[in-house]
Amino acid sequence: MAKSRFEYVRNFELPDPLMPNTFAVVRIDGRGFHKFSDTHQFDKPNDVRALNLMDHAARSVMEELGDVVLAFGESDEYSFLIRRSSQLYNRRRSKINSTIVSLFTSAYVFHWTRYFPNTELVYPPSFDSRVVLYPTPKEVRDYFSWRQADTHINNLQNTSFWALVDSGMTTTEANKTLQGTDSKEKNELLFSRFGINYNNLPPMFKKGSTLVRRDPKSVEGIAEVSTSEQANDGENQARRKVKKVRPYEGTTGEVTVLHEDIIGDGFWNQRPWLLS
Amino acid sequence: MAKSRFEYVRNFELPDPLMPNTFAVVRIDGRGFHKFSDTHQFDKPNDVRALNLMDHAARSVMEELGDVVLAFGESDEYSFLIRRSSQLYNRRRSKINSTIVSLFTSAYVFHWTRYFPNTELVYPPSFDSRVVLYPTPKEVRDYFSWRQADTHINNLQNTSFWALVDSGMTTTEANKTLQGTDSKEKNELLFSRFGINYNNLPPMFKKGSTLVRRDPKSVEGIAEVSTSEQANDGENQARRKVKKVRPYEGTTGEVTVLHEDIIGDGFWNQRPWLLS
Amino acid sequence: MAKSRFEYVRNFELPDPLMPNTFAVVRIDGRGFHKFSDTHQFDKPNDVRALNLMDHAARSVMEELGDVVLAFGESDEYSFLIRRSSQLYNRRRSKINSTIVSLFTSAYVFHWTRYFPNTELVYPPSFDSRVVLYPTPKEVRDYFSWRQADTHINNLQNTSFWALVDSGMTTTEANKTLQGTDSKEKNELLFSRFGINYNNLPPMFKKGSTLVRRDPKSVEGIAEVSTSEQANDGENQARRKVKKVRPYEGTTGEVTVLHEDIIGDGFWNQRPWLLS
Amino acid sequence: MAKSRFEYVRNFELPDPLMPNTFAVVRIDGRGFHKFSDTHQFDKPNDVRALNLMDHAARSVMEELGDVVLAFGESDEYSFLIRRSSQLYNRRRSKINSTIVSLFTSAYVFHWTRYFPNTELVYPPSFDSRVVLYPTPKEVRDYFSWRQADTHINNLQNTSFWALVDSGMTTTEANKTLQGTDSKEKNELLFSRFGINYNNLPPMFKKGSTLVRRDPKSVEGIAEVSTSEQANDGENQARRKVKKVRPYEGTTGEVTVLHEDIIGDGFWNQRPWLLS
């Protein structure tokens, strides 16, 4: 039972540090969510409850890990941006990757009943994830543009498809009808056949969900104020307490959810700390 | 919105294949389980409900991923052995690592109420994980020996500690009493002061939990039989159906839970397929 | 000029250890040796001088690095086997890879005039290299079998091709004549048209060159004897001195060059230390 | 002898791509150059012949690999900068690393007699090398600043040390004399005791050697002109021919050797293409 003679096996745990000073994006994807959404009768083409649950799970990740400054989600996927100077877990790749996907998964299952009060969770869903590194701000912006452009394309396609199916087509017929059509044709089809103005659809469907952390510097300022007012301010006390519990986990700016364009410059120019 | 001009960012997703023909061990660890077990009032030194929940979550992983042929768990950690010739997810490291920790986490939260019917889950727990590769069977055996020896050492320490505390000592006094004692002395202390014969403690506490998959070859034999008897055999039909849904995920031998010695040769000699 | 404020750049030098207890094969390949052999008028299909120079360069590598226990060469490539328990350079991949290719290149240029006394070296040749890891002895044997089988196939092809060209065919005609022929047909062509019995060709051409280190244990035995006889034995003194200079570089068994079969069991059964 | 059944061993050659769009620095270091410089009686503290040979070898690397845009050398080390958008060898780490160290080594041995016409090369020298990635221009500049600051510090130390030794001190006494002295004190010692004004030493000793490639765009401009004048212009024809032989190897701007400050902004501002 001498444990020591077995401990050499630890030597096989090789280091896996992320390159310093690079942006890390962790993207999680639902495993088998086609079946999962069927089993749990998700609304088509978009289920608001499911999207809100995804957003909630993503927010849980950001509240736990202060170095995640931005997240973008659509459908059954979510991407998390870790700031480039982060020293989270000494930048160990597996540790970062596994912690994020586990936090997300756990929150998803934990909060299920809040968003699906009348739908029993039949079996536990799961996600996979990967870490991708980007050396420059331009690539980070293009990454998130890629995901938001994908959101738009998928949503236009799915909205058209389910409009056709709801009108009585088989899925095969609907696919055939849409084959080879471009965005403009799909917009016209939606309007002329179903009176749907695509531009009037909810921003959440068209633009996905963006969770963004507030400027950590402003927050620090607020925190100092709150210290001097602590006697009368229960809410700030609570926040301070959280900071004490996890002082090592970096920035703690508040997280806001948005459903707006992140491809243009506006979003980024207003938040220079995201890419600094 | 042209998605294509952003797609180059995919080139930054670099390959991360595991070396072929090596054994992979994925070890998950609870994050902050000291606090989690306090919050949820786990029994000390061992909470049978929590251990059974861990075993259930591990079994869920093995039922989903046929190439996991063995798992060993203690406390808030679990190690999964993937057979050396596995082609699971083309041996992509991040995919394998994240899928296992997500499946485990999801099952843990999902089945919580089954094992803790009277204890509300206050917040979602999480785990991290890593993949370690081993080139030979000897190292795999030594890895699992290392974990089981650790189980024994921790359990003897914790059993002694909590016996002292339950008898009225402060935790500081208990730690001081145990400082520098070896296994024999702890055994004597337990017996002389508390009438506890360590050997009579439940095997689950002393030996941890071993989940082992049955010989996949025998199972294939059984599967053939079941096909010819399908009309009368609902249970086999169900199993066959599962196989159809995930035909690519390798072996499907049944999983058994054991609480016995895996350091000696006996366990392994009876199951040569684990290391072949 | 304060050097210290720049030193953080060292943090970008990430660790690159080879997995412990695996066999490492470093294969070097000539860069642009088609042109190099033309420029220096190598004999076709095999130039004995060039092959001997390759063997000499490989021997230099093995004399410098005691953990390289076996090497196999053909044409402009050479493969070096590092024993599985080696701690050479703490198993740093880049260090091992670059040292071997640099030692080989340096020796090749340095000894050129010895093998090509009448041919001026027109420009400096270069090689590239890579490290490949193998977890088991079987794969190591199959790796070297792969290279030796390749030697045979290339040599039979090249011998046939140049026999046709020497007999007056253009290279295009020769290629066309050989297209689609198997080994047996090439053997027959060589014998019937040119009276060449392929089996009688020099073993070096058919089997490549194998450099193998003697059992390090026997050598240690010899070394002990030599210590007690050192007064009268200048040669052994010299060898001992070398050992002192590089005591960290592992085994120092003598290196022998062979041109024989290494695909069958015989070669390996006689030298169990190579794969132990 | 069926080669095909062994070819599976190629699957163990795993991909090792460098992250896209990052700067790669390959640094080579002499192995055992303390002994090598003693054996070949290098002048102390600096041997102009040896430094010129290093520069020549570095130039050979840059002439072969057009994507190396900058190199810096001192003593027995040289660092090569590969432009960030390079696709050299599909950015394979081992291939790039081994090719550069082999080209350098080969050129060093090949050109030895040119720089040491009266000193026989006693044994073949070797180098090791590694690749370090940097995500931003700032880090690249700081890397080269680190090496040039190191050059200055080493040179001041070595110049002082050998002045003392040449004046009759033992090496032990010289080390003791210099222990704890800062730059200013060493400068004063050199001037007061030996009349050496450090600032007047050759720039090569104080600043190392910088090899820099000319703006590749200007070169392209020249190349276009040369095409239209090809009949009368032997020199440009020759250059064009070289481009045809290695059209895949990127930029082909001429390489200049400098011995000047590269820590300040001037050097870089004049050559924006190095970090673009």
Side-chain angles (χ1 to χ4, degrees):
Chain A
M1 277 280 201
K3 187 184 160 196
S4 55
R5 73 182 160 103
F6 303 128
E7 293 210 24
Y8 79 92
V9 298
R10 298 203 68 175
N11 297 332
F12 290 75
E13 296 186 16
L14 303 182
D16 66 345
L18 300 178
M19 188 191 303
N21 203 29
T22 48
F23 299 96
V25 172
V26 178
R27 183 174 72 246
I28 66 140
D29 281 292
R31 294 179 66 248
F33 260 58
H34 189 83
K35 179 187 158 205
F36 184 79
S37 61
D38 281 351
T39 301
H40 297 88
Q41 299 180 288
F42 281 14
D43 296 334
K44 303 289 183 182
N46 295 287
D47 187 303
V48 178
R49 303 163 301 174
L51 293 176
N52 281 330
L53 175 54
M54 290 289 288
D55 293 352
H56 193 140
R59 178 187 285 273
S60 296
V61 171
M62 292 184 73
E63 285 174 351
E64 183 76 10
L65 303 175
D67 281 358
V68 178
V69 291
L70 180 71
F72 176 81
E74 61 158 321
S75 183
D76 62 347
E77 74 165 55
Y78 238 101
S79 299
F80 298 91
L81 173 65
I82 299 173
R83 63 193 181 85
R84 76 188 309 174
S85 60
S86 172
Q87 293 304 318
L88 180 65
Y89 304 133
N90 288 322
R91 298 181 72 85
R92 280 182 287 152
R93 178 184 288 264
S94 292
K95 178 92 171 176
I96 291 170
N97 194 37
S98 60
T99 297
I100 287 180
V101 77
S102 180
L103 284 168
F104 189 94
T105 304
S106 192
Y108 192 96
V109 179
F110 183 79
H111 295 295
W112 173 268
T113 50
R114 177 167 171 176
Y115 296 91
F116 288 91
N118 304 313
T119 307
E120 194 194 4
L121 185 58
V122 179
Y123 63 89
S126 59
F127 300 83
D128 61 44
S129 64
R130 80 221 61 208
V131 183
V132 190
L133 296 183
Y134 292 106
T136 73
K138 179 184 184 302
E139 290 138 1
V140 174
R141 281 196 52 182
D142 286 349
Y143 174 85
F144 285 98
S145 294
W146 175 51
R147 299 324 301 144
Q148 191 169 62
D150 184 74
T151 305
H152 164 68
I153 290 166
N154 287 341
N155 186 53
L156 183 54
Q157 165 72 23
N158 293 338
T159 302
S160 306
F161 176 83
W162 287 103
L164 292 169
V165 169
D166 289 347
S167 75
M169 275 194 189
T170 65
T171 56
T172 310
E173 288 165 345
N175 272 322
K176 203 175 166 187
T177 301
L178 293 172
Q179 200 165 15
T181 58
D182 62 14
S183 290
K184 200 182 162 195
E185 290 164 324
K186 291 197 185 83
N187 269 302
E188 286 172 1
L189 177 146
L190 281 173
F191 190 71
S192 60
R193 288 174 70 156
F194 307 105
I196 298 174
N197 184 335
Y198 182 79
N199 290 331
N200 294 342
L201 290 182
M204 180 188 238
F205 299 169
K206 292 182 297 180
K207 301 292 183 190
S209 295
T210 302
L211 270 64
V212 61
R213 193 179 296 283
R214 221 166 87 175
D215 184 359
K217 289 200 200 89
S218 329
V219 172
E220 281 170 31
I222 286 167
E224 285 176 338
V225 172
S226 74
T227 308
S228 62
E229 295 173 353
Q230 62 181 72
N232 334 341
D233 190 340
E235 193 187 338
N236 274 321
Q237 277 192 11
R239 191 188 306 154
R240 243 188 8 267
K241 198 175 164 193
V242 168
K243 285 188 73 170
K244 272 191 185 161
V245 173
R246 310 190 296 259
Y248 56 96
E249 283 176 340
T251 62
T252 53
E254 273 176 62
V255 172
T256 312
V257 60
L258 306 169
H259 309 292
E260 62 182 50
D261 178 74
I262 61 172
I263 297 180
D265 294 337
F267 173 82
W268 302 92
N269 288 346
Q270 287 167 40
R271 298 168 181 86
W273 62 87
L274 295 178
L275 300 176
S276 68
Chain B
M1 277 280 203
K3 186 182 161 196
S4 55
R5 73 181 162 105
F6 303 128
E7 294 210 24
Y8 79 92
V9 298
R10 299 202 67 176
N11 297 331
F12 290 76
E13 297 186 17
L14 303 181
D16 65 344
L18 301 177
M19 187 190 304
N21 203 29
T22 48
F23 298 97
V25 172
V26 178
R27 183 173 72 246
I28 67 142
D29 281 291
R31 292 180 67 249
F33 260 58
H34 188 82
K35 178 188 157 205
F36 184 79
S37 62
D38 281 351
T39 302
H40 296 89
Q41 299 181 289
F42 281 15
D43 297 333
K44 303 290 183 182
N46 295 287
D47 188 303
V48 177
R49 302 163 301 174
L51 293 176
N52 280 331
L53 175 54
M54 290 288 288
D55 293 351
H56 194 139
R59 178 187 285 274
S60 295
V61 172
M62 292 185 73
E63 285 174 351
E64 184 74 9
L65 302 176
D67 281 358
V68 178
V69 291
L70 180 71
F72 177 81
E74 61 157 321
S75 183
D76 63 347
E77 73 164 56
Y78 238 102
S79 299
F80 298 92
L81 173 65
I82 299 173
R83 62 194 182 84
R84 79 188 307 172
S85 59
S86 172
Q87 292 305 316
L88 180 65
Y89 304 133
N90 289 322
R91 298 182 73 83
R92 280 183 288 153
R93 178 183 289 263
S94 293
K95 178 92 171 176
I96 290 170
N97 194 37
S98 60
T99 297
I100 286 180
V101 77
S102 180
L103 284 169
F104 189 94
T105 304
S106 192
Y108 191 96
V109 179
F110 183 79
H111 295 295
W112 173 268
T113 49
R114 176 168 173 175
Y115 295 92
F116 288 91
N118 304 316
T119 308
E120 192 194 4
L121 185 57
V122 178
Y123 64 88
S126 60
F127 299 83
D128 62 43
S129 63
R130 79 222 62 206
V131 183
V132 190
L133 295 183
Y134 293 106
T136 73
K138 176 183 186 304
E139 290 138 1
V140 174
R141 280 196 52 182
D142 286 348
Y143 175 85
F144 284 99
S145 294
W146 175 51
R147 298 326 301 147
Q148 192 169 62
D150 185 73
T151 305
H152 163 69
I153 289 165
N154 287 341
N155 186 54
L156 182 55
Q157 165 71 23
N158 293 339
T159 301
S160 306
F161 176 85
W162 287 103
L164 292 169
V165 170
D166 289 347
S167 76
M169 273 192 191
T170 65
T171 54
T172 310
E173 289 166 344
N175 272 322
K176 202 175 165 186
T177 302
L178 293 173
Q179 199 165 17
T181 59
D182 63 13
S183 290
K184 201 182 162 195
E185 291 163 324
K186 291 195 186 82
N187 269 301
E188 286 171 1
L189 178 146
L190 281 173
F191 190 71
S192 61
R193 289 175 69 158
F194 307 105
I196 297 175
N197 185 334
Y198 182 79
N199 289 332
N200 293 343
L201 291 182
M204 180 189 238
F205 298 169
K206 293 182 297 180
K207 301 291 182 189
S209 295
T210 302
L211 270 64
V212 61
R213 194 178 294 284
R214 223 166 86 174
D215 183 359
K217 289 200 200 89
S218 329
V219 172
E220 281 171 34
I222 287 168
E224 286 178 337
V225 173
S226 75
T227 308
S228 63
E229 294 173 353
Q230 60 181 72
N232 332 343
D233 190 340
E235 193 187 338
N236 274 321
Q237 276 193 12
R239 189 187 308 155
R240 239 185 14 263
K241 199 176 165 191
V242 168
K243 287 188 72 168
K244 269 189 187 164
V245 172
R246 310 190 295 259
Y248 56 94
E249 284 177 340
T251 62
T252 53
E254 274 177 61
V255 172
T256 312
V257 60
L258 306 168
H259 310 293
E260 62 182 51
D261 177 75
I262 61 172
I263 296 179
D265 294 337
F267 173 82
W268 303 92
N269 287 347
Q270 288 167 39
R271 298 168 181 85
W273 61 88
L274 295 178
L275 299 176
S276 67
Chain C
M1 276 282 201
K3 187 183 162 196
S4 54
R5 72 181 161 105
F6 303 128
E7 294 209 25
Y8 79 92
V9 298
R10 298 202 68 176
N11 297 331
F12 290 76
E13 297 186 17
L14 304 181
D16 66 343
L18 300 177
M19 187 190 304
N21 203 29
T22 49
F23 299 95
V25 172
V26 178
R27 183 172 72 246
I28 67 140
D29 281 291
R31 292 181 66 249
F33 260 59
H34 188 82
K35 178 187 157 204
F36 184 79
S37 61
D38 281 351
T39 302
H40 296 90
Q41 299 182 288
F42 281 14
D43 296 334
K44 302 290 183 180
N46 294 288
D47 188 302
V48 177
R49 302 164 301 174
L51 293 175
N52 281 330
L53 175 54
M54 290 289 287
D55 292 352
H56 193 140
R59 178 187 285 273
S60 296
V61 172
M62 292 184 73
E63 285 174 350
E64 184 74 9
L65 303 176
D67 281 358
V68 178
V69 290
L70 179 71
F72 177 81
E74 62 158 319
S75 184
D76 63 347
E77 73 164 56
Y78 238 101
S79 299
F80 298 91
L81 174 64
I82 299 173
R83 62 194 182 83
R84 78 188 306 173
S85 59
S86 173
Q87 292 304 318
L88 181 65
Y89 304 133
N90 288 322
R91 299 182 73 84
R92 280 183 288 154
R93 179 183 289 263
S94 293
K95 178 92 170 176
I96 291 170
N97 194 37
S98 60
T99 297
I100 287 179
V101 76
S102 180
L103 284 169
F104 189 93
T105 304
S106 193
Y108 191 96
V109 179
F110 183 79
H111 296 295
W112 172 268
T113 51
R114 177 167 172 176
Y115 296 92
F116 288 91
N118 303 314
T119 307
E120 193 194 4
L121 185 57
V122 178
Y123 65 88
S126 59
F127 300 83
D128 61 44
S129 64
R130 79 221 61 204
V131 183
V132 190
L133 296 183
Y134 292 106
T136 74
K138 178 183 185 302
E139 289 138 2
V140 175
R141 281 196 52 182
D142 286 349
Y143 175 85
F144 284 99
S145 294
W146 175 50
R147 299 325 301 145
Q148 191 169 63
D150 184 74
T151 305
H152 164 69
I153 289 166
N154 287 341
N155 186 54
L156 182 55
Q157 165 70 24
N158 293 338
T159 302
S160 305
F161 176 83
W162 287 102
L164 292 169
V165 169
D166 288 347
S167 75
M169 273 192 189
T170 65
T171 55
T172 311
E173 289 166 345
N175 272 322
K176 202 175 166 187
T177 303
L178 293 173
Q179 199 166 15
T181 58
D182 62 15
S183 290
K184 200 182 162 193
E185 290 164 325
K186 291 195 186 82
N187 269 302
E188 285 171 2
L189 176 146
L190 280 173
F191 190 71
S192 60
R193 288 175 68 158
F194 306 106
I196 297 174
N197 184 335
Y198 182 79
N199 290 331
N200 293 343
L201 290 182
M204 180 190 240
F205 299 169
K206 293 181 297 179
K207 301 291 182 190
S209 296
T210 302
L211 270 64
V212 61
R213 193 178 295 282
R214 221 167 86 174
D215 184 359
K217 289 201 200 87
S218 328
V219 172
E220 282 171 33
I222 286 167
E224 286 178 336
V225 173
S226 74
T227 308
S228 62
E229 294 173 352
Q230 62 180 71
N232 333 344
D233 190 340
E235 193 188 337
N236 273 322
Q237 276 192 11
R239 191 188 305 156
R240 240 186 11 264
K241 200 177 164 190
V242 168
K243 286 188 74 168
K244 272 189 186 163
V245 172
R246 312 190 295 259
Y248 56 96
E249 282 177 341
T251 61
T252 53
E254 273 176 62
V255 172
T256 312
V257 60
L258 306 169
H259 308 293
E260 61 183 51
D261 178 75
I262 60 172
I263 296 179
D265 294 338
F267 173 82
W268 303 92
N269 287 347
Q270 288 167 40
R271 298 167 181 87
W273 61 88
L274 295 177
L275 299 175
S276 68
Chain D
M1 278 279 203
K3 186 183 161 195
S4 55
R5 73 182 161 105
F6 303 128
E7 294 209 23
Y8 78 92
V9 297
R10 299 203 67 175
N11 296 332
F12 289 76
E13 297 186 17
L14 303 182
D16 66 346
L18 301 178
M19 187 190 305
N21 203 30
T22 50
F23 298 97
V25 172
V26 178
R27 184 174 71 245
I28 67 141
D29 281 292
R31 292 179 67 248
F33 260 58
H34 188 82
K35 178 186 159 205
F36 184 79
S37 61
D38 281 351
T39 302
H40 297 89
Q41 300 181 287
F42 281 14
D43 297 334
K44 304 289 183 184
N46 295 286
D47 188 305
V48 177
R49 302 164 300 173
L51 293 176
N52 280 330
L53 175 53
M54 289 290 287
D55 293 352
H56 193 141
R59 179 186 285 274
S60 295
V61 171
M62 291 184 74
E63 285 173 351
E64 184 76 10
L65 303 176
D67 281 358
V68 178
V69 290
L70 180 71
F72 177 80
E74 61 158 322
S75 183
D76 63 346
E77 74 164 54
Y78 238 102
S79 299
F80 298 92
L81 174 65
I82 299 173
R83 63 193 181 86
R84 78 189 308 174
S85 59
S86 172
Q87 292 305 317
L88 180 65
Y89 305 133
N90 288 322
R91 299 181 72 85
R92 280 183 288 152
R93 178 183 288 263
S94 292
K95 178 92 172 177
I96 290 170
N97 194 36
S98 60
T99 297
I100 286 180
V101 76
S102 180
L103 283 169
F104 190 93
T105 304
S106 193
Y108 192 96
V109 179
F110 183 79
H111 295 297
W112 173 268
T113 50
R114 177 166 171 177
Y115 295 92
F116 289 91
N118 302 314
T119 306
E120 192 194 5
L121 185 58
V122 179
Y123 64 88
S126 58
F127 300 83
D128 62 44
S129 63
R130 79 220 61 207
V131 183
V132 190
L133 295 184
Y134 292 106
T136 73
K138 178 184 184 302
E139 290 138 1
V140 174
R141 281 196 52 181
D142 286 348
Y143 175 85
F144 284 99
S145 295
W146 175 51
R147 298 325 300 145
Q148 192 169 60
D150 184 73
T151 306
H152 164 69
I153 289 165
N154 288 341
N155 186 54
L156 182 54
Q157 165 72 22
N158 293 338
T159 302
S160 306
F161 176 84
W162 287 103
L164 292 168
V165 169
D166 288 347
S167 75
M169 274 193 189
T170 64
T171 54
T172 311
E173 290 165 343
N175 272 322
K176 203 175 165 186
T177 303
L178 293 172
Q179 201 166 13
T181 59
D182 63 13
S183 290
K184 201 183 161 193
E185 291 164 324
K186 292 196 185 84
N187 269 301
E188 286 172 0
L189 178 146
L190 280 173
F191 190 71
S192 60
R193 289 175 70 157
F194 307 106
I196 297 174
N197 184 335
Y198 182 78
N199 290 330
N200 293 342
L201 291 182
M204 180 189 238
F205 299 169
K206 294 182 297 180
K207 300 291 184 190
S209 295
T210 302
L211 271 64
V212 61
R213 193 178 295 283
R214 220 166 87 175
D215 184 359
K217 288 198 201 89
S218 329
V219 172
E220 281 170 34
I222 286 167
E224 284 177 339
V225 173
S226 75
T227 308
S228 62
E229 294 173 353
Q230 61 181 74
N232 332 343
D233 190 339
E235 193 188 338
N236 273 320
Q237 278 193 9
R239 190 186 307 154
R240 242 187 10 265
K241 199 177 165 191
V242 168
K243 286 189 72 169
K244 271 190 185 163
V245 172
R246 312 190 293 259
Y248 56 95
E249 283 177 341
T251 62
T252 54
E254 273 177 62
V255 172
T256 312
V257 60
L258 307 168
H259 309 292
E260 61 183 51
D261 178 75
I262 60 173
I263 296 179
D265 294 338
F267 174 83
W268 303 92
N269 287 346
Q270 287 168 40
R271 297 167 181 86
W273 61 88
L274 295 178
L275 300 175
S276 66

